[in-house]
Amino acid sequence: GDSVTQMEGPVTLSEEAFLTINCTYTATGYPSLFWYVQYPGEGLQLLLKATKADDKGSNKGFEATYRKETTSFHLEKGSVQVSDSAVYFCALTGSGGYQKVTFGIGTKLQVIP
Amino acid sequence: DAGVIQSPRHEVTEMGQEVTLRCKPISGHNSLFWYRQTMMRGLELLIYFNNNVPIDDSGMPEDRFSAKMPNASFSTLKIQPSEPRDSAVYFCASRPGYPRGPRSNEQFFGPGTRLTVL
């Protein structure tokens, strides 16, 4: 079945540092890929997405590129802020059927001033 | 747009009691999902509905859990009897689905219900 592997956290960075959170996936066909973010005490919300190979999703300074050859969708940001402290989830939606969503375990990011 | 609405936001109950969590999805969305989140197990999909029909309930822990979606605007997750290990945050999410559009694959999450079973 489909699966998402995400790097274990927590990740602690200083403000303005470069961020990478790794995500790889296993799926048949052509899944859509997502990054969701969960701020403390809130539900998940979509951060960015990509629906086909080589697409780059971007939002709020975050980027991720759909790499089919390496089955990866790594999240990056050039300069993190304290307000980026949250839990980040990589996810995929299968290309067929009822499109069940598969989430990774989540990576907690803490940005310190 | 009110978003996904969940109630109650917090629930504290005693072991053995029945608990009912409620969800109102975004109007027009075709799919609805119930998740459970704990520190130990992360985010787990319990069940999801498409057009009010349960499609996959393989994540429902055991017979104590049941979920219904009597119409397109309301769903419940019931735990009877509740146990301390059911303590978690329960999220409901909805998704536009068909007809296809730019946001048809995006899930919209509610704020969650924090359940504590003593």
Side-chain angles (χ1 to χ4, degrees), chain B residues 66-79:
Chain B
S66 62
K68 295 182 179 180
M69 193 166 185
N71 57 62
S73 60
F74 184 66
S75 178
T76 60
L77 178 68
K78 185 176 294 186
I79 308 172

Side-chain angles (χ1 to χ4, degrees), chain B residues 39-92:
Chain B
M39 290 292 293
M40 293 297 295
R41 302 171 70 102
L43 190 67
E44 303 173 275
L45 175 66
L46 301 177
I47 186 171
Y48 83 95
F49 296 84
N50 196 60
N51 291 325
N52 312 338
V53 176
I55 300 301
D56 184 351
D57 64 355
S58 59
M60 296 286 265
E62 48 199 91
D63 291 346
R64 297 185 298 108
F65 285 68
S66 62
K68 295 182 179 180
M69 193 166 185
N71 57 62
S73 60
F74 184 66
S75 178
T76 60
L77 178 68
K78 185 176 294 186
I79 308 172
Q80 167 63 18
S82 58
E83 297 181 3
R85 60 191 169 122
D86 302 330
S87 297
V89 180
Y90 290 82
F91 289 103
C92 175

Side-chain angles (χ1 to χ4, degrees), chain A residues 9-108:
Chain A
V11 174
T12 302
L13 295 174
S14 297
E15 205 166 20
E16 299 184 0
F18 185 86
L19 168 71
T20 298
I21 300 177
N22 291 335
C23 171
T24 57
Y25 68 90
T26 302
T28 56
Y30 303 93
S32 295
L33 303 176
F34 306 83
W35 278 100
Y36 282 82
V37 58
Q38 183 181 29
Y39 298 104
E42 299 182 9
L44 282 69
Q45 56 186 276
L46 182 67
L47 179 60
L48 54 84
K49 70 176 183 181
T51 57
K52 60 183 187 294
D54 300 324
D55 268 1
K56 177 184 284 188
S58 61
N59 186 24
K60 300 180 180 180
F62 290 90
E63 293 183 341
T65 301
Y66 189 143
R67 301 287 189 197
K68 191 165 178 63
E69 64 276 13
T70 55
T71 61
S72 65
F73 193 55
H74 304 322
L75 182 68
E76 297 181 336
K77 186 174 185 181
S79 176
V80 294
Q81 306 300 313
V82 173
S83 57
D84 294 326
S85 297
V87 181
Y88 293 82
F89 292 87
C90 186
L92 70 82
T93 298
S95 56
Y98 290 99
Q99 300 191 327
K100 178 179 175 178
V101 180
T102 302
F103 283 89
I105 61 171
T107 301
K108 183 175 182 178

